[in-house]
Amino acid sequence: MAEETQVDYSLSNSDTLTKYKTAARIAHQVLETVTGWCVEGEKILTICERGDKLLDEEVGKVYKGKKISKGVAHPTTVSPSSFVTPFTPLASDPADAEIVLKPGEIVKVQLGAQIDGFGTIVGDTIVIPSKENKDSEIAGREADLLLATHYANELLLRLMIPPGLMSAGSEEEKKKATSEKPITQSKITQLLEKVVKSYDCNLVENTTSWVFERNEIEGKKKIVLAPSEGQKGEGVPEVGEAWGVEVGVSLGSGKVKTLENRPTLHRRTTTTYGLKRPSSRQILSEIVKKFGTFPFSLRQLDDERAAKVGVVECVRSNVVRQYEVIADKDGAAVSRLFTTIAITKNGLMLLSAPPSPNLTKFKTDKKITDTEILKILERPISKSTGTKSKSKKKKKKPAKKAAEEESEESSEEE
């Protein structure tokens, strides 16, 4: 009898990276379309429904005829101003189903796709434009919030790079840099707090980044920003890993509370339990078949009302986890970004990332002045591989240079 071939699912396998990149391309494409739908007066429910339909359509176009799983890695969610967690309302919950977007509102959009269990998730924060001023400048506290989130995210990405990976110089210098201890999670929070406080903002407590694995978006390692009592991260980023990197920033204290809105976002756990109700077993069977262990919304199940009933025992028995609807404790606006990265020998590969903001649109008198922060922002996130890019797109400016130019423009206007 022939031995079974052990499949290499690591990032060193080019096929794994291709699947990640394919899922990321779909996520980027759908995110761009969905954010375009986020306009004044549009219902959040309608946007989420259209987004999930588009995700399914785009995933269906790739790897046709291949015997691999593929689908949604995270349903389309659109979170109102003070909401911290992803929000995906149900048509059968009238109050939530009628929520519409308001001009000037800070809104978070998040979604994802997966190919063969390799999921990429991407999240962005936008300001809902008014019908009269679609391309207006963003000023005041909204500008402070979005800039704080942008630079906190840029800083965190650079702090995810293992020691010595990007070092240059002699072999001895590289060896010395590699032997340095990884940055502690408390230091990461401390540095990010300096960034957001430069804009009079605060980190959202317990914002968590997870290592991604095949069929798992909450792996064994995690980084917890601004942890509350009893919460802590575990492990450090290493070469060969994929991570879901999240940053949350608030105009308020950053403390959170659980809302009374129905939790509609769920995910199957690895716990096994003999469910007693036939309706619960039926719902679990549909969840396993459609979503595996990736997050889903109850409205994505065949019968939304039956799902609301059947999922109760699943959650109580811990075979399904429900994500509570959490918001800023003060009702203040919250911004959030989500990036999926791969850590390679050449640095960070941004698999799926929110689009780079047009910093010239933000008008504020606040800026980052801490020299330690500015030096870190100046670091590249990856090495040049020596291959010429065929893309004619503009190169992304170093984060520090962008920060300095943004503050110079604000000074000139004063």
Side-chain angles (χ1 to χ4, degrees):
M1 187 175 178
E3 291 184 11
E4 284 190 20
T5 305
Q6 188 77 21
V7 180
D8 178 14
Y9 290 119
S10 71
L11 287 177
S12 58
N13 183 352
S14 60
D15 190 40
T16 296
L17 265 180
T18 299
K19 289 171 182 174
Y20 266 126
K21 289 177 180 178
T22 303
R25 177 178 55 77
I26 293 169
H28 275 141
Q29 182 180 336
V30 177
L31 177 70
E32 182 180 1
T33 302
V34 170
T35 52
W37 293 337
C38 294
V39 295
E40 177 183 352
E42 190 62 71
K43 289 183 179 179
I44 288 179
L45 172 62
T46 303
I47 298 170
C48 291
E49 289 175 336
R50 293 175 69 191
D52 287 343
K53 182 180 178 184
L54 185 57
L55 273 171
D56 287 334
E57 289 173 355
E58 294 303 318
V59 168
K61 295 177 183 178
V62 300
Y63 286 88
K64 289 183 177 181
K66 303 287 185 181
K67 291 185 178 180
I68 59 172
S69 67
K70 57 181 182 177
V72 174
H74 193 286
T76 306
T77 59
V78 179
S79 306
S81 182
S82 65
F83 283 41
V84 171
T85 50
F87 181 62
T88 169
L90 304 182
S92 55
D93 289 340
D96 286 351
E98 294 301 315
I99 298 177
V100 298
L101 299 177
K102 302 169 186 175
E105 184 175 12
I106 300 283
V107 169
K108 285 76 65 182
V109 181
Q110 185 167 310
L111 52 84
Q114 65 91 4
I115 304 294
D116 198 19
F118 299 108
T120 62
I121 299 173
V122 63
D124 194 16
T125 296
I126 61 172
V127 178
I128 302 301
S130 64
K131 292 177 180 177
E132 295 77 21
N133 300 305
K134 290 187 177 180
D135 297 310
S136 59
E137 292 179 348
I138 299 172
R141 297 298 283 145
E142 288 79 13
D144 293 338
L145 178 62
L146 296 184
L147 285 171
T149 311
H150 168 68
Y151 288 118
N153 186 57
E154 291 291 328
L155 186 71
L156 179 56
L157 289 173
R158 284 156 176 79
L159 297 177
M160 297 283 292
I161 300 172
L165 190 62
M166 300 296 294
S167 61
S170 66
E171 287 301 317
E172 188 177 336
E173 288 172 326
K174 290 179 182 178
K175 189 175 180 181
K176 183 180 178 182
T178 306
S179 65
E180 291 178 4
K181 289 184 178 180
I183 187 170
T184 64
Q185 297 206 17
S186 59
K187 179 65 173 178
I188 292 176
T189 290
Q190 180 188 343
L191 291 172
L192 264 67
E193 281 179 339
K194 286 184 179 182
V195 172
V196 299
K197 288 185 183 298
S198 297
Y199 294 93
D200 256 347
C201 297
N202 284 293
L203 292 174
V204 174
E205 65 176 341
N206 299 326
T207 300
T208 306
S209 299
W210 296 87
V211 69
F212 279 10
E213 299 165 3
R214 185 168 180 258
N215 294 313
E216 180 58 77
I217 62 165
E218 294 182 3
K220 297 175 182 177
K221 295 181 181 180
K222 61 181 179 179
I223 294 172
V224 182
L225 302 178
S228 60
E229 188 176 350
Q231 297 293 321
K232 67 175 184 176
E234 187 175 345
V236 295
E238 296 179 89
V239 172
E241 295 176 340
W243 279 75
V245 183
E246 184 171 7
V247 168
V249 181
S250 169
L251 285 178
S253 65
K255 302 298 181 183
V256 300
K257 64 180 179 182
T258 301
L259 300 180
E260 294 180 358
N261 304 65
R262 179 193 300 276
T264 62
L265 188 66
H266 295 73
R267 190 170 79 93
R268 182 169 70 91
T269 69
T270 54
T271 300
T272 55
Y273 180 82
L275 298 172
K276 297 175 182 177
R277 294 177 177 271
S279 60
S280 304
R281 293 197 295 270
Q282 182 179 342
I283 290 299
L284 182 61
S285 176
E286 185 182 354
I287 290 169
V288 172
K289 183 179 178 181
K290 284 186 173 181
F291 311 108
T293 53
F294 288 99
F296 63 92
S297 168
L298 292 180
R299 66 183 159 69
Q300 292 176 290
L301 298 171
D302 291 340
D303 188 330
E304 184 178 296
R305 293 184 182 277
K308 288 160 71 173
V309 175
V311 80
V312 174
E313 185 186 4
C314 295
V315 172
R316 190 169 56 236
S317 304
N318 198 35
V319 296
V320 168
R321 174 187 171 187
Q322 73 176 19
Y323 293 84
E324 303 294 337
V325 183
I326 294 172
D328 185 90
K329 192 174 183 179
D330 310 315
V334 170
S335 175
R336 187 161 47 80
L337 298 177
F338 198 107
T339 309
T340 303
I341 65 169
I343 306 176
T344 73
K345 63 181 181 180
N346 292 318
L348 296 192
M349 180 184 294
L350 302 184
L351 295 169
S352 61
S356 298
N358 179 1
L359 298 176
T360 62
K361 290 179 64 174
F362 299 102
K363 304 302 175 184
T364 178
D365 58 354
K366 299 178 180 65
K367 62 182 180 179
I368 300 169
T369 57
D370 187 282
T371 53
E372 181 183 15
I373 300 297
L374 292 172
K375 282 182 180 178
I376 298 173
L377 289 174
E378 196 174 28
R379 299 175 191 167
I381 62 170
S382 61
K383 299 175 185 175
S384 173
T385 56
T387 56
K388 292 183 179 179
S389 173
K390 295 180 181 179
S391 173
K392 293 184 179 180
K393 292 181 180 178
K394 290 182 180 179
K395 286 186 177 180
K396 188 177 179 182
K397 295 177 183 177
K400 178 190 173 184
K401 186 175 181 181
E404 290 173 343
E405 288 182 3
E406 168 246 315
S407 59
E408 284 171 9
E409 286 170 6
S410 298
S411 300
E412 286 173 6
E413 291 177 3
E414 290 170 9

